[in-house]
Amino acid sequence: QLQLQESGPGLVRPSETLSLTCTVSGDSISTTSYYWGWVRQPPGTGLEWIGSIFYSGSPFYNPSLKSRVTISVDTSKNQFSLKVRSVTAADTTVYYCARHRNAGWFDTWGQGTLVTVSS
Amino acid sequence: QSVLTQPPSVSAAPGQRVTISCSGSSSNIGNNYVSWYQQLPGTAPELLIYENNKRPSGIPDRFSGSKSGTSGTLGITGLQTGDEADYYCGTWDSSLSAYVFGAGTKVTVL
């Protein structure tokens, strides 16, 4: 059974870089036809797609965040990662990793991790 | 403000049927598949419908999806208290080059 688990610091200082990792179990991240993505959700509001990556390492990003975001994949560890640079309080949200099937829908989600940006 | 428009809330009594609309444009729903997600309180979203009307394994057939032109619709029949949740539509937007979600619809069982 496919499972995804986010990990990383729950508190990041303003202007620093937020770094999260998603560990995939139950399937190889190198499986064809699947992308792997990040979605975030500010408390009490809706979902925002951050970006996705194919196992070969071809990422694509939400244009609204592209200048500050990097997504990478480590097939040897069956993980993919998210970095958000120059964070502000507006980046305080729950971050989810998910399998992005055919870049068309998210069929399996991690439980989510809350990241707070505060000094 | 999302490019996909959903009603903020819908409600019905147990056993009744509700529908949730997701209105978009030719750059998103009009030329791409719609998916629907259920988010129970305090949990991660779960895929309910993909490719407009397909249900993943384990999703009851009380949940259905359809698409017509630039709008998608999620239907829930035999409404149960356990269906109280936020529901989001999603699709790719070719103009924005981004995957977009609706703002979400809160379903309340009266």
Side-chain angles (χ1 to χ4, degrees):
Chain A
Q1 181 182 1
L2 179 70
Q3 292 186 317
L4 288 78
Q5 178 67 59
E6 305 88 353
S7 60
L11 180 65
V12 181
R13 296 181 186 277
S15 79
E16 296 190 345
T17 296
L18 177 161
S19 297
L20 295 174
T21 296
C22 182
T23 301
V24 179
S25 60
D27 192 13
S28 169
I29 205 168
S30 301
T31 302
T32 57
S33 299
Y34 296 153
Y35 289 76
W36 304 88
W38 291 93
V39 176
R40 69 181 188 176
Q41 184 174 35
T45 66
L47 303 167
E48 179 181 35
W49 172 70
I50 300 171
S52 300
I53 190 167
F54 197 50
Y55 79 95
S56 62
S58 301
F60 53 109
Y61 304 113
N62 189 326
S64 68
L65 296 167
K66 185 176 182 178
S67 64
R68 298 194 295 127
V69 170
T70 300
I71 296 176
S72 59
V73 63
D74 187 337
T75 54
S76 67
K77 295 182 179 179
N78 225 35
Q79 295 176 334
F80 61 106
S81 299
L82 169 70
K83 292 186 185 298
V84 182
R85 296 175 292 278
S86 304
V87 297
T88 69
D91 295 308
T92 293
T93 85
V94 175
Y95 288 80
Y96 296 100
C97 61
R99 188 170 70 178
H100 195 174
R101 183 73 184 268
N102 293 345
W105 59 92
F106 297 92
D107 68 349
T108 307
W109 297 66
Q111 65 182 26
T113 186
L114 174 63
V115 178
T116 300
V117 178
S118 175
S119 56
Chain B
Q1 190 164 352
S2 177
V3 297
L4 303 180
T5 301
Q6 298 181 234
S9 64
V10 297
S11 61
Q16 297 299 303
R17 179 176 186 263
V18 295
T19 60
I20 301 171
S21 60
C22 178
S23 178
S25 67
S26 59
S27 67
N28 43 66
I29 293 178
N31 285 284
N32 295 289
Y33 290 123
V34 180
S35 54
W36 289 91
Y37 306 87
Q38 177 194 59
Q39 187 174 33
L40 297 169
T43 70
E46 178 184 15
L47 179 67
L48 281 181
I49 299 290
Y50 67 100
E51 289 186 343
N52 302 332
N53 55 18
K54 297 179 180 178
R55 283 177 288 106
S57 173
I59 299 300
D61 59 6
R62 299 188 299 106
F63 296 91
S64 64
S66 64
K67 171 183 153 177
S68 178
T70 59
S71 292
T73 301
L74 174 71
I76 310 174
T77 59
L79 201 61
Q80 302 175 0
T81 55
D83 296 332
E84 287 202 330
D86 293 320
Y87 293 82
Y88 296 90
C89 59
T91 189
W92 182 259
D93 189 294
S94 303
S95 292
L96 298 175
S97 294
Y99 192 92
V100 293
F101 293 95
T105 298
K106 184 175 183 61
V107 170
T108 301
V109 181
L110 301 173

